[in-house]
Amino acid sequence: MINNKIADIFQEIGDILEIQNENPFRVRSYHRAAQIIHNLAGDLKSAYETDPKKIMVIRGVGKDLFSMIEEIIKTGDCSLHKDLLAHFHPGLLDMLHLRGIGPKKVKLIYMNLGIKDIKALEESANEGKLRSLPGMGEKTEQAIIKSIADMKRYSQRSLMPLALDEAKLVISYINEHKNVSKCEYAGSLRRRKETIGDIDILVTTKSATKPIMDHFINYPHMDEILAHGPTKSSIVLNSGIQVDLRVIEEESFGAAMHYFTGSKAHNIAIRDRAKKKGLKVNEYGVFKGRKNLASKTEEDVFKAIGLPFIIPELRKNDGEIEAAEKGKLPKSIELKDIKGDLHMHTNASDGSEPLGKVVKYCYEAGYEYIAITDHSKSSHIANGLDEKRLLNQYKEIDKLNKLYKDKNFKIFKGSEVDILSDGSLDFSDEILSQMDIFPASVHSKFSMSEKDMTKRIIKAIKNPYVKMIGHPTGRLINRREPYKLNIEAVIDAAIEYNTTLELNCQPTRLDLTDKYLRRAKEKGAKIVINTDSHHTSQRAYMQYGIYIARRGWLEKGDVLNTMPLGKLIKFLNKTKS
Ligand code: DGT
Ligand code: CA
Ligand code: CA
Ligand code: ZN
């Protein structure tokens, strides 16, 4: 979505101006605009295309910012940003992009120690030179060392949802060319891996290939051309993601899709299996001697080697081929199986829309139920609700439920209740007993020992009112490692105390991961797939959760919120044993 890009550019402009000691009001206006645009529900590009005035009326957007937004929509960047970047030390910009370091610290470190890049920063931190600066200490120094290590490990890979959006745009651009007959993405993106190294796109044509490649390397939102050949080219998008495009013969499209979807480990296992049957598999087809038995569709390819179709999400060579042989592939969950969302925020805490709007939207989208789960009182930064505000919200929910009474739609009362450091919950049992269902989540003290964190979460699981544990490992992809946790013990406790574990659909969370989902399923735990939505457009994140669930071998029956309303109410009324 263009909003994030515009917000990032404004944020960076504000950051650079701040380091350059510009007028604080000017700095603030960019930071504020970045924040507002980041939280907007609607896509600015489509708003602009229907009526540019719609953008003019956004809070915090004046005439100057409007023309910059216009420029970014049309060209992918704006001249002020480009000018600032051209005269700004690139090493300082890298420092700015580290987690936990804002413009104030970059300025402080630069002014006092003359440090201009991450390498020098890392050296100084290791030598203990940063802790002496005003407002810093050993802790900050350690945090900086850690975020440099994280950055090194993660800087290469993009979030799957972001790559998916980018791939769709590139493909619709490629499809504009008249020579193109088929165009699809393969690779890790098609396998729905949570992060993507690069986007692999395959294209077929009935006529010349070179004009397609020439068209491709003229993609407007591009930073760099890495390779430009008649049948294979690579570019780097503005977002930093690499895209490889290959031209494929129409007759071998299926074999090529299978080959380039991978994973590599799956491909190798498939080739070995075929070899035992005297067959050879490559990106052109399945061969017996020189005869090509199958290549047109992926289904044909699987059939020729004696297997049913294996969905891309399962192609990891961790048992899918054996399961396929025995007819034991999972009947993978689908988006349409989901009947409601049990973790949603409104503007009462840190969401951006009022209760009534969230409810109406979910009802109209065809859900049978939702749970309103604003943050609890200890989450100060997220504007958590105290008992009084919470009970007022419940009165509103009662009123709304009356309106929907005859409509097979129910709003559940909840809260995203913090699990405090000793494992107790942020509300008393008296308040919890008024809730229908709520995620209990860890939002603080992430650096406990594995033993203490496991104890903390299991204590919450044992609470008779708890039926869901929100984002159980707390990881933020590319930003924060999961906290230390004995996940096996947590799964066992969840089963014993009839609590579900969440698969949180936020693109940076996707927590639990596919590996743990599969383990939970094997052991018999139930999963709940929630968007943790902060505005209605994030309802679409449910799809990302479904992709990950499919990678984790989940079926409809493994997931709580595939239950129709009546059955779910029965589940909720069951007291814990
Ligand atoms: P990524 O981009 O790191 O997220 O992961 P992939 O899986 O998209 O990997 P990529 O882009 O290097 O290659 C795309 C697919 O092409 C890969 O999933 C399987 C296939 N492939 C690439 N190299 C080989 C290879 O050496 N042998 C086999 N059998 N397949 C390969
Ligand atoms: Ca790839
Ligand atoms: Ca690739
Ligand atoms: Zn949360």
Side-chain angles (χ1 to χ4, degrees):
M1 186 143 107
I2 190 92
N3 297 20
N4 291 342
K5 177 161 202 174
I6 296 171
D8 288 349
I9 290 175
F10 285 173
Q11 180 68 34
E12 202 161 274
I13 290 175
D15 290 351
I16 294 175
L17 292 176
E18 186 168 356
I19 294 173
Q20 292 176 340
N21 262 332
E22 272 282 339
N23 178 340
F25 291 104
R26 191 167 170 228
V27 170
R28 218 182 109 63
S29 71
Y30 285 106
H31 282 157
R32 215 166 65 99
Q35 189 65 40
I36 290 167
I37 290 169
H38 185 76
N39 287 328
L40 281 181
D43 181 59
L44 280 176
K45 185 161 188 258
S46 43
Y48 177 80
E49 278 158 4
T50 38
D51 180 11
K53 278 199 217 81
K54 282 190 175 169
I55 295 182
M56 286 288 241
V57 301
I58 296 170
R59 188 165 52 98
V61 173
K63 224 172 113 210
D64 290 352
L65 288 179
F66 171 76
S67 54
M68 289 165 73
I69 292 173
E70 186 170 39
E71 203 184 338
I72 297 169
I73 289 172
K74 286 184 177 159
T75 71
D77 203 349
C78 67
S79 44
L80 172 65
H81 184 235
K82 284 191 273 193
D83 284 352
L84 286 171
L85 286 183
H87 299 104
F88 191 70
H89 200 291
L92 288 179
L93 200 63
D94 295 339
M95 282 166 63
L96 203 50
H97 291 158
L98 283 174
R99 182 177 51 81
I101 300 196
K104 282 190 190 65
K105 284 206 185 94
V106 172
K107 193 161 101 183
L108 181 78
I109 294 167
Y110 173 60
M111 295 291 200
N112 286 284
L113 302 172
I115 289 171
K116 293 201 284 274
D117 57 39
I118 289 185
K119 194 159 169 273
L121 180 70
E122 190 177 19
E123 280 166 17
S124 298
N126 284 331
E127 287 164 15
K129 286 183 184 159
L130 299 180
R131 63 183 74 171
S132 58
L133 295 174
M136 307 228 336
E138 217 180 312
K139 236 172 137 181
T140 323
E141 202 174 65
Q142 286 307 317
I144 288 175
I145 291 173
K146 182 159 190 311
S147 54
I148 293 174
D150 286 351
M151 178 219 57
K152 282 185 185 160
R153 220 176 30 249
Y154 292 131
S155 57
Q156 303 304 323
R157 302 186 67 83
S158 314
L159 300 180
M160 172 262 287
L162 175 77
L164 190 57
D165 283 350
E166 294 278 24
K168 284 179 185 160
L169 292 173
V170 175
I171 287 175
S172 76
Y173 171 81
I174 294 171
N175 273 323
E176 284 168 16
H177 198 278
K178 62 178 175 17
N179 287 14
V180 172
S181 37
K182 241 189 244 155
C183 183
E184 281 177 39
Y185 58 82
S188 53
L189 182 58
R190 185 160 175 251
R191 302 196 315 275
R192 316 300 185 190
K193 219 174 148 186
E194 60 194 25
T195 63
I196 304 299
D198 66 7
I199 299 173
D200 303 280
I201 299 180
L202 306 184
V203 66
T204 65
T205 178
K206 288 190 175 36
S207 42
T209 66
K210 189 172 172 298
I212 298 178
M213 288 299 168
D214 294 346
H215 173 64
F216 174 61
I217 58 134
N218 278 300
Y219 186 61
H221 312 292
M222 179 189 69
D223 262 1
E224 206 187 335
I225 300 167
L226 298 176
H228 179 200
T231 59
K232 184 176 181 272
S233 298
S234 296
I235 62 173
V236 178
L237 305 178
N238 290 147
S239 55
I241 305 179
Q242 181 180 327
V243 184
D244 294 344
L245 179 66
R246 289 183 180 79
V247 182
I248 303 297
E249 295 291 331
E250 288 207 330
E251 302 71 58
S252 56
F253 187 69
M257 277 302 277
H258 180 260
Y259 180 88
F260 289 109
T261 294
S263 68
K264 199 169 158 179
H266 167 90
N267 287 356
I268 292 170
I270 288 280
R271 258 196 331 248
D272 288 349
R273 185 179 191 280
K275 219 183 205 165
K276 289 188 191 122
K277 300 189 160 198
L279 302 170
K280 193 180 142 206
V281 183
N282 59 25
E283 63 263 53
Y284 304 106
V286 181
F287 294 86
K288 182 152 208 154
R290 295 174 72 177
K291 186 163 182 255
N292 193 341
L293 301 180
S295 63
K296 209 163 168 72
T297 70
E298 272 192 329
E299 282 81 357
D300 295 342
V301 169
F302 279 113
K303 210 167 146 197
I305 48 181
L307 291 176
F309 184 79
I310 301 173
I311 59 166
E313 289 94 324
L314 290 173
R315 299 182 197 168
K316 293 184 261 189
N317 191 32
D318 59 0
E320 78 280 10
I321 297 174
E322 294 76 4
E325 270 167 353
K326 295 188 197 127
K328 294 230 163 97
L329 282 171
K331 193 172 176 316
S332 302
I333 185 170
E334 294 176 48
L335 184 58
K336 67 172 169 52
D337 295 329
I338 295 292
K339 299 288 191 298
D341 194 338
L342 297 170
H343 184 169
M344 305 195 93
H345 297 268
T346 76
N347 64 0
S349 64
D350 60 348
S352 59
E353 289 156 341
L355 175 66
K357 185 169 175 196
V358 174
V359 167
K360 183 162 179 280
Y361 187 89
C362 289
Y363 171 71
E364 283 169 0
Y367 276 164
E368 295 183 18
Y369 47 83
I370 58 170
I372 299 298
T373 59
D374 279 308
H375 284 283
S376 62
K377 60 188 176 187
S378 287
S379 275
H380 300 292
I381 350 168
N383 190 24
L385 280 66
D386 60 14
E387 289 80 356
K388 190 161 163 244
R389 288 177 63 215
L390 186 76
L391 295 178
N392 275 332
Q393 186 185 57
Y394 288 179
K395 280 187 202 145
E396 263 189 83
I397 293 179
D398 284 334
K399 276 189 219 150
L400 285 166
N401 268 329
K402 280 203 188 106
L403 290 179
Y404 289 98
K405 200 167 62 115
D406 306 316
K407 294 200 155 68
N408 192 41
F409 179 75
K410 173 136 174 119
I411 308 147
F412 290 123
K413 293 172 189 163
S415 161
E416 182 170 12
V417 183
D418 274 25
I419 302 174
L420 305 178
S421 52
D422 65 353
S424 64
L425 296 184
D426 201 15
F427 285 122
S428 68
D429 283 359
E430 202 229 312
I431 297 289
L432 296 178
S433 71
Q434 301 184 49
M435 300 186 186
D436 300 302
I437 187 164
F438 60 90
S441 312
V442 168
H443 287 129
S444 62
K445 296 253 166 36
F446 299 114
S447 49
M448 290 181 143
S449 70
E450 178 179 314
K451 191 163 151 262
D452 289 345
M453 188 58 94
T454 306
K455 220 170 111 194
R456 176 182 182 183
I457 293 183
I458 290 180
K459 183 165 171 202
I461 288 175
K462 288 182 178 171
N463 180 302
Y465 298 105
V466 170
K467 298 191 175 82
M468 303 192 282
I469 297 295
H471 40 74
T473 78
R475 63 102 173 246
L476 292 176
I477 301 174
N478 290 358
R479 282 193 266 155
R480 188 173 73 208
E481 288 288 302
Y483 34 73
K484 295 192 197 78
L485 188 67
N486 181 344
I487 192 83
E488 294 287 335
V490 168
I491 292 171
D492 291 342
I495 296 167
E496 187 177 350
Y497 294 94
N498 210 12
T499 296
T500 64
L501 300 172
E502 183 180 71
L503 161 51
N504 185 296
C505 302
Q506 292 283 317
T508 49
R509 290 195 183 272
L510 298 174
D511 175 9
L512 293 171
T513 61
D514 49 6
K515 186 175 85 184
Y516 292 150
L517 292 170
R518 190 169 171 194
R519 187 73 187 130
K521 178 206 168 90
E522 277 168 6
K523 289 190 141 185
K526 244 202 171 43
I527 302 297
V528 56
I529 307 180
N530 292 325
T531 62
D532 191 359
S533 161
H534 286 68
H535 53 66
T536 44
S537 67
Q538 295 185 356
R539 203 182 65 81
Y541 290 177
M542 189 59 82
Q543 177 69 75
Y544 309 139
I546 294 294
Y547 290 149
I548 299 298
R550 287 159 71 87
R551 285 179 62 85
W553 291 57
L554 296 196
E555 304 181 296
K556 185 177 172 180
D558 301 316
V559 176
L560 180 71
N561 51 325
T562 61
M563 285 184 185
L565 179 59
K567 205 169 154 204
L568 180 63
I569 289 176
K570 271 192 208 124
F571 169 87
L572 296 180
N573 288 340
K574 245 190 314 188
T575 47
K576 286 199 178 187
S577 48

